[in-house]
Amino acid sequence: MFSAEKFTNSYLYISLIFGVFLYDFIGKNFGFTYTDELLMAVLLVYGIKYGQYGKEAKWVLILFVFYVIYSLLWGVACKEAIFTDALIIMKPFVGLYVSIGMGLTLDDIDKERIRKLVIVLVVISLGFCAISYNYFASDFMGHPSRIATLFQILGVTYFYCSERTKRDIIITMVIFCCSLLSFRSKSYAFVAAAFFIIFYLNASRLERF
């Protein structure tokens, strides 16, 4: 019997490990760069089988079909580029509407497990950086900028699965600060924006802790 809760928990585990942490390692060492597309396909198959969708999701689908047909008829780009663009644009919408249609949720126990997994991945990543930064940045992650992407995704995931306590916010910001190890300007901008949003815009909320 299908359980949306178990599916969500398993899917997030697999996505964090293979779609985030090992994504570039798999692509560089095995030549497989379609991990996110594979994860999207799995989500879509389950969504078609178990999901229920309203008019909004159907209209979005119609717009995507219209976009592809229009692009092909008018030859705005080569076929490969058109389908690639459509796939890239479609992925977040698939995640959004399938999650809503299937009623995917996480209980407190599941969220705690996800937070623990995030911490484990952060510790492993920092261990790699301490042992051999060049290997982790270039060979494992593919490029130093991917370190920023890794820690930003892990930080957002941890924050989403937390209870937003003062301790959770501090841990989230520490994870975000780890993205500075990429030594890329975008990571500095991201951390600055995170500090502004969490500590300035939510200052009144933090005062209650």
Side-chain angles (χ1 to χ4, degrees), residues 152-163:
Q152 288 163 10
I153 293 174
L154 293 178
V156 170
T157 303
Y158 185 93
F159 185 75
Y160 174 79
C161 293
S162 71
E163 296 178 358

Side-chain angles (χ1 to χ4, degrees), residues 151-191:
F151 285 115
Q152 288 163 10
I153 293 174
L154 293 178
V156 170
T157 303
Y158 185 93
F159 185 75
Y160 174 79
C161 293
S162 71
E163 296 178 358
R164 300 350 182 240
T165 64
K166 187 175 182 179
R167 177 177 177 272
D168 292 328
I169 292 174
I170 291 174
I171 293 176
T172 299
M173 294 309 304
V174 170
I175 297 174
F176 283 156
C177 287
C178 290
S179 68
L180 298 177
L181 291 171
S182 67
F183 301 105
R184 290 298 184 272
S185 58
K186 71 172 185 179
S187 62
Y188 293 97
F190 180 90
V191 172

Side-chain angles (χ1 to χ4, degrees), residues 50-167:
Y50 298 105
Q52 296 180 350
Y53 305 98
K55 293 181 179 180
E56 182 180 345
K58 295 176 181 178
W59 274 110
V60 170
L61 177 61
I62 292 173
L63 288 174
F64 273 118
V65 173
F66 173 79
Y67 164 77
V68 173
I69 294 176
Y70 174 87
S71 301
L72 290 172
L73 290 178
W74 287 90
V76 296
C78 64
K79 293 182 180 180
E80 292 79 6
I82 293 172
F83 286 112
T84 299
D85 288 343
L87 183 62
I88 292 173
I89 297 172
M90 185 174 62
K91 283 189 288 186
F93 287 95
V94 170
L96 173 65
Y97 287 109
V98 170
S99 299
I100 296 173
M102 293 176 62
L104 301 182
T105 58
L106 291 169
D107 60 22
D108 292 338
I109 296 177
D110 293 330
K111 288 181 178 180
E112 183 179 0
R113 290 172 178 169
I114 294 296
R115 292 200 304 272
K116 289 180 178 179
L117 175 61
V118 168
I119 295 300
V120 169
L121 295 178
V122 169
V123 171
I124 293 174
S125 300
L126 293 177
F128 272 121
C129 287
I131 295 172
S132 178
Y133 177 83
N134 290 332
Y135 168 78
F136 185 66
S138 300
D139 296 330
F140 192 91
M141 296 302 299
H143 191 273
S145 63
R146 299 295 294 172
I147 295 178
T149 304
L150 170 66
F151 285 115
Q152 288 163 10
I153 293 174
L154 293 178
V156 170
T157 303
Y158 185 93
F159 185 75
Y160 174 79
C161 293
S162 71
E163 296 178 358
R164 300 350 182 240
T165 64
K166 187 175 182 179
R167 177 177 177 272

